[in-house]
Amino acid sequence: MRGHNFLYITPHSQILSSPIAYLKGVGPQRAELLQKELGIFTFNDLLQHFPFRHVDKTKFTPIGDATPADEYLQFVGILEPFQVIGQNRARRLVSQIRDKTGTVEVVWFSAINQIQKMLQPGKAYIVYGKLSWFMSKPQLVHPEIEAWTPEKLEGKAFLEPIYPSTEKLKAKNLGGRQLGKLTQLLLPHIKPQDIPENFPQKMMEELKLMPRFDAYQQIHFPQTQKHYEAALRRLKFEEIFLAQMRMNLLRSQRHRFSKGVVFDAVGDHFNTFYNRYLPFELTGAQKRVLKEIRNDTARGKQMNRLLQGDVGSGKTIVALLCMLLAADNGYQSVLMAPTEILARQHFQGISSLLKDMNIGVDLLTGSVKGKERKPILKGVADGSIHLLIGTHAVIEDTVQFQNLGLVIVDEQHRFGVAQRARLWEKNHTPPHVLVMTATPIPRTLAMTAYGDLDYSVIDELPPGRQPIQTVHRLDNDRSNVMDFLKAEIALGRQVYVIFPLIEESDKLDYENLMRGYDEIKTYFPEPQYWISMVHGKQPAIQKEENMRRFVEHDTQIMVSTTVIEVGVNVPNASVMVIESAEKFGLSQLHQLRGRVGRGAEKSYCILLTGKKLGNVARERMKIMTSTNNGFVIAEKDLELRGPGDIEGTRQSGVVDFKLANIVNDRAMVDAAKKVTEEILTDDPDLSKPENIALKEFLQSQKGKTIWSKIS
């Protein structure tokens, strides 16, 4: 290394990968801080650290033209003599800046002596700051101020960027402004070949997009607000477009090259069940989804489909019909659930539906050991078990299928792409994969985060399901709420009381849960009432046992953290009380509410909160009490929380955009989807000359594109 405080020029293509310590004005100590605080390790990281606003010092406003609608302004004029007004803490330094059109008051509350030494009344100064109005007169408090000289006549040639920073960086003189000085040092050394164009020319022209190199210059130091907006539009579109392109490439390559088992017959198993044992008429949405799956599985390509449906919309019956379709074509199916208790429930539900049919169904979970395990493994290997239901245990290497044709994964967010891939290896022709989720995912998010899957939606509830009545109550209503629970229990019903546990390790949350449990016990004393408690710190066996007691109606009340969120089915539970409901996100509240309302009785969800609620929390309560529609709730959740927080998207890494926001930039998501599909329809391998730059760019993005999965 040749010393630290200069720009160390590497060959052009590598300049952006130079360590940040090599940039003039950084050095090892500041470099370490930038790495820790902002994740800036290289020149490229600094280039990708975008300003959050710009300061317009390109022009001087005549003081007389300032209006209350203006926010930040820059004036030039003569400084009038100072006055010190007030005593002690109320002491302030006041002066005026005067030009031909009027005066603006300038005020300082601190560093008064320094300011008086530094500035000379009677001289010309440039002042810049946030404009306020006091007694109908314009005023700048603690303005930026510098001496005016004739060469500053025109103002700056660009808008000045302000960057996100942190308290630690500000303490070391690396605030939002100083970071701009580093970027300003970097930009002149970056040439067009360092930021090559990665979009086809035709697309650039059709969408009127700024060239890539220009966009990076203009997003940091734009000549005008219009230049900044054009740069922002280009770079946002690039983020969304590349994410879509990666997903669509995966999908289109799979559609073209992946062989899939063929389910071409609808035979006895399916027809017998459909005509004789189906417990209720399918909804239109269920029929539509079934048709989509049948088309997918009949064409000799591997299916990878995401099935979205709200809590209680009947996804499981669709899954069962698909498994019967597989059995009709001589293939086995596996249904995988995230927890043992859920796997058990699926097993009980499906076994009872198929009890009069000649179909082998079995259950395999982690707790099935030794002797019990042997016959299951044998039945799976010889094909006598048609449907295997279980937890992650079903993907262990010891489980060898005779002819696996369909894999159904319940609850998307607990199951990543890598785990799905392990299932593909269970047969020489990869089985079809159906992923079911009860967390409705807004369309824009599904397009971006789950674009590698085709997706189906069940958007209507079966007839006869009563909507859950949701109410919002404050803490001081607690005794009335408890009386209501007693009345429901007297009718033979069961009740959930949920406490927030934000981090399973958080001591304070844990103490709140214990205090809450003790309080519930004082309202519901034994032996008149029995209570189960479930939380993440319990050993798995104890947790399973407490859940089992509630499922089998040994206990009337389940006090729990959100571990019961996924899928548990207790038809007799008719009330869900959510303590400190303001601490939960919308989709989590909706998921929890879905645990009740599974039987024939009227069900209730009571959201208990403190009196003081923030705007977002108040909005959440309003939405929850006004709708039961999971898709409406998911859209709202996306608006309130932002995409990065929605379950599952974090693992996919697709939605952690730096600039784009899929809520505010929906139109861009749609446009990018359309363009992506047009390009890939015309040139599926991106091998035409006009698409080569795009292909090379995607291949250079290590870790972002799953090229290993693309033949």
Side-chain angles (χ1 to χ4, degrees):
M1 218 151 92
R2 314 185 196 161
H4 300 298
N5 270 351
F6 61 98
L7 181 60
Y8 173 57
I9 301 290
T10 52
H12 271 311
S13 57
Q14 283 145 28
I15 189 168
L16 289 175
S17 54
S18 308
I20 196 66
Y22 290 1
L23 184 62
K24 185 173 168 44
V26 179
Q29 281 173 316
R30 283 178 139 193
E32 199 179 326
L33 256 182
L34 286 168
Q35 288 167 11
K36 275 191 188 145
E37 294 290 297
L38 294 173
I40 295 175
F41 288 84
T42 63
F43 290 1
N44 190 47
D45 295 334
L46 181 62
L47 187 67
Q48 303 282 341
H49 186 64
F50 299 114
F52 65 90
R53 71 181 177 88
H54 286 85
V55 166
D56 187 355
K57 293 185 180 174
T58 57
K59 59 184 184 294
F60 298 114
T61 303
I63 294 170
D65 291 356
T67 72
D70 294 313
E71 202 177 2
Y72 287 88
L73 287 181
Q74 180 170 254
F75 306 111
V76 64
I78 305 295
L79 183 70
E80 305 266 296
F82 290 118
Q83 274 180 296
V84 177
I85 298 173
Q87 293 295 317
N88 303 330
R89 286 189 142 183
R91 200 164 161 257
R92 61 194 186 279
L93 180 68
V94 179
S95 178
Q96 314 262 349
I97 293 278
R98 177 182 299 283
D99 71 6
K100 289 175 188 161
T101 65
T103 58
V104 59
E105 189 174 65
V106 281
V107 185
W108 291 269
F109 290 94
S110 59
I112 289 174
N113 296 342
Q114 283 159 282
I115 302 278
Q116 280 177 295
K117 281 180 195 158
M118 199 177 78
L119 304 177
Q120 293 176 357
K123 279 195 143 182
Y125 287 94
I126 296 169
V127 285
Y128 174 86
K130 188 170 187 178
L131 196 66
S132 54
W133 291 79
F134 181 68
M135 314 275 281
S136 308
K137 291 197 174 99
Q139 184 187 64
L140 295 173
V141 178
H142 285 275
E144 291 174 28
I145 188 161
E146 58 178 310
W148 183 82
T149 53
E151 65 269 18
K152 293 177 181 168
L153 191 63
E154 290 298 313
K156 295 230 166 115
F158 52 80
L159 304 186
E160 200 178 299
I162 309 230
Y163 293 84
S165 185
T166 67
E167 291 310 316
K168 278 187 185 163
L169 285 171
K170 284 174 192 163
K172 292 281 186 236
N173 212 14
L174 278 174
R177 281 264 159 84
Q178 289 85 352
L179 288 170
K181 294 204 165 67
L182 296 181
T183 311
Q184 202 171 359
L185 280 170
L186 171 65
L187 285 174
H189 297 279
I190 294 172
K191 303 287 176 276
Q193 59 266 38
D194 301 317
I195 307 179
E197 187 50 69
N198 54 9
F199 281 179
Q201 189 56 37
K202 183 172 167 237
M203 172 173 135
M204 300 269 297
E205 286 162 11
E206 280 175 6
L207 295 169
K208 300 187 173 59
L209 293 171
M210 182 182 265
R212 191 162 182 251
F213 176 74
D214 298 352
Y216 273 102
Q217 301 280 336
Q218 294 290 336
I219 196 156
H220 289 288
F221 294 95
Q223 289 160 296
T224 64
Q225 184 62 22
K226 274 212 165 100
H227 283 81
Y228 169 72
E229 282 161 14
L232 183 63
R233 181 171 166 264
R234 154 72 206 223
L235 294 174
K236 274 184 175 186
F237 190 82
E238 183 172 313
E239 282 186 328
I240 295 170
F241 171 77
L242 292 174
Q244 295 267 16
M245 191 46 101
R246 283 192 276 272
M247 287 294 197
N248 272 309
L249 267 168
L250 262 180
R251 192 158 88 200
S252 77
Q253 299 285 354
R254 197 188 67 234
H255 283 183
R256 287 163 66 213
F257 298 115
S258 73
K259 289 276 178 282
V261 296
V262 178
F263 298 169
D264 50 7
V266 179
D268 280 353
H269 292 315
F270 184 98
N271 287 327
T272 304
F273 181 77
Y274 193 91
N275 296 323
R276 290 174 57 187
Y277 302 115
L278 193 64
F280 46 75
E281 172 72 15
L282 293 186
T283 63
Q286 284 172 314
K287 287 177 181 166
R288 184 189 69 241
V289 168
L290 210 49
K291 197 169 177 183
E292 287 166 355
I293 293 169
R294 274 184 49 190
N295 289 340
D296 264 7
T297 52
R299 58 197 183 119
K301 305 278 182 225
Q302 189 207 11
M303 168 177 85
N304 269 290
R305 194 169 269 285
L306 175 67
L307 173 57
Q308 281 186 255
D310 215 338
V311 181
S313 59
K315 293 182 296 295
T316 315
I317 209 83
V318 168
L320 174 56
L321 285 162
C322 295
M323 294 192 276
L324 294 173
L325 187 64
D328 277 335
N329 288 277
Y331 289 99
Q332 292 163 292
S333 301
V334 61
L335 168 62
M336 193 157 58
T339 64
E340 182 140 339
I341 197 146
L342 246 168
R344 210 167 279 286
Q345 284 195 337
H346 276 310
F347 174 66
Q348 286 160 352
I350 286 171
S351 304
S352 71
L353 284 168
L354 298 178
K355 64 180 187 299
D356 298 325
M357 291 179 65
N358 184 23
I359 286 195
V361 185
D362 222 320
L363 175 73
L364 181 64
T365 65
S367 62
V368 178
K369 298 274 189 283
K371 274 185 188 166
E372 293 175 70
R373 207 177 176 92
K374 266 198 177 127
I376 299 175
L377 295 180
K378 183 179 174 295
V380 171
D382 67 21
S384 59
I385 292 176
H386 300 96
L387 272 56
L388 182 65
I389 296 166
T391 54
H392 287 58
V394 299
I395 52 175
E396 286 164 15
D397 294 335
T398 50
V399 185
Q400 295 291 329
F401 290 86
Q402 186 194 39
N403 202 1
L404 181 64
L406 175 66
V407 175
I408 296 174
V409 182
D410 190 5
E411 285 304 326
Q412 161 71 13
H413 50 264
R414 298 171 191 260
F415 215 71
V417 176
Q419 286 160 306
R420 292 210 295 267
R422 278 182 68 186
L423 289 164
W424 299 352
E425 291 150 19
K426 291 279 179 189
N427 195 345
H428 49 84
T429 305
H432 298 300
V433 178
L434 182 68
V435 178
M436 302 197 295
T437 172
T439 315
I441 304 156
R443 185 175 150 272
T444 4
L445 190 57
M447 269 158 54
T448 333
Y450 303 102
D452 65 317
L453 300 170
D454 301 294
Y455 59 98
S456 295
V457 176
I458 301 183
D459 47 12
E460 56 181 301
L461 289 180
R465 275 195 70 120
Q466 295 197 34
I468 299 159
Q469 189 178 338
T470 306
V471 294
H472 173 208
R473 295 286 179 263
L474 300 174
D475 270 340
N476 51 5
D477 275 336
R478 184 174 298 276
S479 59
N480 289 338
V481 169
M482 294 302 151
D483 289 344
F484 175 70
L485 299 190
K486 283 181 178 166
E488 283 291 298
I489 292 169
L491 293 169
R493 317 260 191 274
Q494 287 166 282
V495 172
Y496 290 104
V497 183
I498 306 294
F499 284 85
L501 200 58
I502 311 303
E503 290 292 334
E504 284 292 358
S505 58
D506 192 331
K507 205 163 156 254
L508 184 73
D509 280 338
Y510 189 66
E511 283 165 10
N512 285 346
L513 171 71
M514 289 312 173
R515 202 178 313 119
Y517 177 61
D518 290 338
E519 197 180 335
I520 297 282
K521 272 179 26 189
T522 57
Y523 278 110
F524 298 96
E526 293 173 357
Q528 197 182 343
Y529 301 97
W530 295 102
I531 304 173
S532 281
M533 179 161 69
V534 175
H535 58 79
K537 286 192 171 179
Q538 290 171 332
I541 292 174
Q542 188 186 353
K543 206 187 302 182
E544 290 283 338
E545 176 57 18
N546 288 349
M547 293 277 254
R548 186 194 61 73
R549 288 187 62 205
F550 186 67
V551 169
E552 292 174 8
H553 207 164
D554 274 356
T555 60
Q556 300 103 320
I557 301 166
M558 162 73 83
V559 174
S560 155
T561 58
T562 52
V563 288
I564 63 110
E565 192 179 322
V566 179
V568 181
N569 189 12
V570 183
N572 192 49
S574 66
V575 188
M576 163 74 62
V577 177
I578 303 177
E579 292 271 0
S580 308
E582 70 274 21
K583 291 187 181 174
F584 292 92
L586 263 180
S587 65
Q588 212 178 8
L589 288 170
H590 180 63
Q591 283 292 299
L592 287 167
R593 170 168 68 184
R595 300 293 123 245
V596 295
R598 293 177 161 245
E601 307 307 332
K602 177 112 185 83
S603 292
Y604 305 88
C605 175
I606 301 167
L607 307 171
L608 269 174
T609 69
K611 278 196 190 119
K612 289 182 180 164
L613 286 185
N615 289 342
V616 171
R618 190 169 285 116
E619 185 66 15
R620 283 193 196 126
M621 299 307 124
K622 210 165 101 189
I623 294 158
M624 285 299 294
T625 51
S626 64
T627 180
N628 276 299
N629 182 325
F631 287 92
V632 172
I633 288 169
E635 286 287 350
K636 270 291 182 198
D637 200 21
L638 187 60
E639 277 169 39
L640 292 174
R641 281 204 298 176
D645 292 331
I646 306 279
E647 286 246 59
T649 60
R650 253 175 266 99
Q651 292 97 302
S652 68
V654 180
V655 200
D656 47 2
F657 294 143
K658 284 194 161 163
L659 293 167
N661 175 318
I662 61 174
V663 181
N664 305 334
D665 300 318
R666 274 180 206 184
M668 232 179 240
V669 175
D670 288 337
K673 184 173 195 283
K674 185 167 167 277
V675 174
T676 310
E677 284 169 357
E678 282 168 7
I679 290 174
L680 289 177
T681 305
D682 175 57
D683 183 14
D685 294 317
L686 299 180
S687 52
K688 290 190 173 177
E690 62 268 29
N691 295 326
I692 290 296
L694 174 61
K695 184 174 190 166
E696 284 173 357
F697 181 81
L698 284 166
Q699 281 170 326
S700 74
Q701 296 269 285
K702 289 189 181 65
K704 284 283 185 86
T705 307
I706 317 170
W707 286 99
S708 58
K709 295 225 175 75
I710 298 176
S711 45

